[in-house]
Amino acid sequence: MSLVRRCSRTACGRPAVATLTYVYADSTAVLGPLATYAEPHCYDLCAEHSERLTAPRGWEVVRLLDGSAPARPSGDDLEALANAVREAARPQERAAGANGGARTADPMEVARRGHLRVLRSPDN
């Protein structure tokens, strides 16, 4: 008997790195680090199959981070970085806002709330 657990996918002999568990009551698939021991209703997956995992329509996939794996940037992180770059590209607006001066707005912009803008219709 081998001490290395293998991927549960048919015809895949790669070593398992993650464990997949289905929570049917919540329509959720939970993918986490490799479990300490094999459970009857859990599936061990290799790195390739764990990255490509999809769930049935209407189900949610929850990926639990392994503490040893490097964290990947999330969509929120990338959006925050893009917003910071945009803000840095407008130094005259930032300086005017810091001095209490009026902001130079786009003629199409009617109002602004945080990062959201209300634009005037081009017909008006």
Side-chain angles (χ1 to χ4, degrees):
M1 179 172 197
S2 174
L3 295 176
V4 177
R5 291 184 4 216
R6 300 288 175 192
C7 183
S8 298
R9 297 291 301 258
T10 306
C12 182
R14 291 185 285 260
V17 297
T19 299
L20 172 66
T21 307
Y22 290 107
V23 182
Y24 293 97
D26 297 331
S27 299
T28 304
V30 180
L31 183 68
L34 189 62
T36 308
Y37 55 91
E39 290 282 341
H41 298 288
C42 296
Y43 304 93
D44 294 337
L45 299 176
C46 65
E48 181 182 342
H49 286 121
S50 64
E51 288 174 9
R52 295 186 336 184
L53 175 74
T54 59
R57 183 173 288 157
W59 282 56
E60 180 182 1
V61 176
V62 175
R63 294 178 187 268
L64 303 175
L65 294 177
D66 182 8
S68 63
R72 292 183 177 166
S74 70
D76 291 339
D77 293 338
L78 296 175
E79 186 176 352
L81 179 60
N83 287 339
V85 169
R86 285 186 201 108
E87 189 65 32
R90 295 183 271 178
Q92 69 281 3
E93 289 181 17
R94 201 171 25 164
N99 295 336
R103 248 180 127 148
T104 56
D106 182 7
M108 296 296 290
E109 187 175 316
V110 175
R112 181 176 265 253
R113 184 171 208 165
H115 68 282
L116 302 174
R117 298 183 303 168
V118 177
L119 301 177
R120 182 178 305 128
S121 173
D123 300 334
N124 294 339

